[in-house]
Amino acid sequence: MTSFDAFFSRDANAFRPSAIRAFAKLVNDPNVISFAGGSPNPDTFPAERIAEIAARVVRERRAVALQYGPTRGLPRLCDFIASLAASRGITCSGADVIVTTGSQQALDIVSHTLLDPGDVVLVELPTYIGGTSSFYARSANVVGVAQDDEGIVPESLAEVAARTKPKLLYTIPNFQNPSGRLMTQERRTRVLEIAREHDFLIIEDDPYGELVYVDGADTTPLKSRDEDNRIIYLGSFSKVLAPGLRCGFIIAAPEIQQRIEIGKQAADLCSGMLDQSIVDEFCAAGELAPQIAKVRDFYRGKRATLLDALEQHFSGRAKWTHADGGLFTFVTLDDDIDTAAYVEQSVKNGVAFIPGAPFFVDGSGRNTMRLTFARESDERMRSGVEKLARTLSSSRT
Ligand SMILES: Cc1ncc(COP(=O)(O)O)c(C=O)c1O
């Protein structure tokens, strides 16, 4: 056949490749100091414990770990997730939880369950590209709302909501990817009020809420005060345990959960039972809390090093976010600097970063970039920031 164009669905024609994957190809060289990744550091994965648990569940619990399981997830794991949610202020039981194949599957299935072509989804400027990919894949109309250092700007949300009549708002209030920002509790209250006023649902995506590096950061989810159950809360074990164990979850109103469950039956029958069994055993043994403490300790110093190096080399010529948690800081340079134009030169000079524009659905953000502190040693980060400052001072070649 010469062309398959006539066979692709309308939704497939709306698929958008991730603009940052193209940059990721540039950064596999170990000689390049990389601020570009979006993944947790493998040194945080409790590999030996996972190996031990995996061997045990395969040998001793094969009828569970190697078998199909309930679409909603392993019951004991659902109960554990409900208790985890309760520790974050969310009242629910195991029956309110659906385990998913990473929170990325949650984004896909929620989009499939709620969106028709042309429906408006509001997203933060900037936002997570995997979120917008799921919305575009359902031919949604994705519209940006302004964000500042306190989170979503309520005036912008109210104005855009009145103009576009959205069905959904997608928000990442805790240490957002890509900005690293933490939305204040006041803003969260306003966002919820505006959602009630304009009657839209909210997807609250919270994979980074446990990765806190400073005292006093209030990460209490919006879902904790969701009196009319309009929030679909997503969580994940990827950043605290290991993303290869594809294990995320959804907590939402029973009526929405029932539909999501049917959608998930069509998608994959159930999430990987081996992955769930490993996560379940790990959590049931009481190991998640100490693991989270270790992960925080691992990143705390790295985050401080990156912020310190930025202070040293970018002071007065850029602004960057505090990144009190999560994996990223987001840098804003002078308006006339297009960071994408510097990527290639920067990689040649031995440093990789992610230009910020792909995270903005309205085409803005050309003068921004995302830097992760997850990957490199302190020494390489210091040297990398110095090189980056030099590259961004030079004229483009
Ligand atoms: C904001 C956000 N949501 C969801 C995901 C997907 O995570 P996972 O599918 O591994 O749970 C990521 C991954 O980087 C993310 O940054």
Side-chain angles (χ1 to χ4, degrees), residues 22-37:
F23 293 105
K25 281 193 205 127
L26 294 170
V27 303
N28 286 331
D29 180 349
N31 296 317
V32 173
I33 298 172
S34 182
F35 298 114

Side-chain angles (χ1 to χ4, degrees), residues 14-310:
F15 288 173
R16 295 206 185 180
S18 164
I20 61 167
R21 294 246 152 163
F23 293 105
K25 281 193 205 127
L26 294 170
V27 303
N28 286 331
D29 180 349
N31 296 317
V32 173
I33 298 172
S34 182
F35 298 114
S39 314
N41 191 309
D43 290 349
T44 63
F45 306 157
E48 280 310 315
R49 280 298 291 139
I50 290 174
E52 224 177 286
I53 294 171
R56 180 156 46 82
V57 293
V58 165
R59 291 203 181 94
E60 295 172 16
R61 297 186 59 203
R62 78 174 80 160
V64 174
L66 300 180
Q67 185 57 285
Y68 293 117
T71 301
R72 279 178 173 255
L74 264 179
R76 187 172 69 167
L77 180 58
C78 291
D79 289 344
F80 179 85
I81 290 167
S83 68
L84 190 67
S87 74
R88 299 176 189 171
I90 299 168
T91 318
C92 69
S93 75
D96 301 312
V97 174
I98 293 183
V99 175
T100 54
T101 305
S103 51
Q104 190 61 44
Q105 186 192 41
L107 285 165
D108 181 60
I109 296 187
V110 169
S111 301
H112 199 177
T113 305
L114 298 177
L115 297 176
D116 285 315
D119 280 346
V120 173
V121 181
L122 304 185
V123 301
E124 292 155 336
L125 292 169
T127 191
Y128 169 56
I129 288 177
T132 48
S133 307
S134 300
F135 310 137
Y136 286 130
R138 300 295 160 193
S139 306
N141 179 9
V142 183
V143 179
V145 295
Q147 197 192 178
D148 64 17
D149 279 341
E150 295 185 12
I152 287 175
V153 177
E155 295 72 23
S156 170
L157 178 61
E159 185 274 315
V160 179
R163 187 160 43 80
T164 62
K165 308 272 177 286
K167 199 177 232 182
L168 265 180
L169 165 71
Y170 172 59
T171 180
I172 310 157
N174 290 330
F175 315 123
Q176 197 223 34
N177 178 5
S179 74
R181 288 181 177 125
L182 175 68
M183 198 187 305
T184 63
Q185 292 298 326
E186 292 73 25
R187 290 281 177 92
R188 294 178 199 224
T189 303
R190 280 296 293 136
V191 166
L192 205 40
E193 283 167 3
I194 294 166
R196 287 188 188 124
E197 207 174 306
H198 293 271
D199 198 22
F200 54 81
L201 302 182
I202 297 176
I203 300 178
E204 179 176 23
D205 190 7
D206 191 14
Y208 299 103
E210 304 283 1
L211 270 56
V212 189
Y213 315 123
V214 300
D215 292 335
D218 191 346
T219 57
T220 310
L222 282 90
K223 183 71 182 161
S224 68
R225 60 188 89 141
D226 180 23
E227 280 143 32
D228 51 353
N229 231 347
R230 64 176 63 245
I231 297 180
I232 299 154
Y233 179 80
L234 311 185
S236 173
F237 289 92
S238 288
K239 316 296 174 181
V240 289
L241 197 48
L245 298 168
R246 305 296 299 132
C247 211
F249 56 90
I250 307 174
I251 297 170
E255 218 182 319
I256 295 178
Q257 292 290 58
Q258 281 152 19
R259 295 291 179 104
I260 288 173
E261 183 180 359
I262 299 167
K264 186 166 161 59
Q265 282 167 9
D268 64 357
L269 302 177
C270 66
S271 290
M273 292 303 291
L274 181 54
D275 288 2
Q276 287 188 67
S277 300
I278 294 167
V279 176
D280 170 54
E281 289 284 326
F282 188 86
C283 293
E287 293 183 51
L288 189 65
Q291 164 66 13
I292 289 172
K294 276 187 211 153
V295 172
R296 287 178 180 171
D297 288 346
F298 181 89
Y299 291 124
R300 189 177 291 114
K302 288 186 177 295
R303 171 241 179 207
T305 300
L306 179 57
L307 295 187
D308 192 55
L310 285 169

Side-chain angles (χ1 to χ4, degrees), residues 334-346 348-349 353 366 390-397:
D334 289 343
D335 286 347
D336 60 341
I337 295 180
D338 177 0
T339 53
Y342 288 90
V343 170
E344 235 171 285
Q345 186 57 45
S346 184
K348 273 190 205 146
N349 294 349
F353 66 88
R366 289 159 72 89
R390 249 188 284 125
T391 305
L392 289 166
S393 307
S394 63
S395 57
R396 273 155 268 164
T397 50

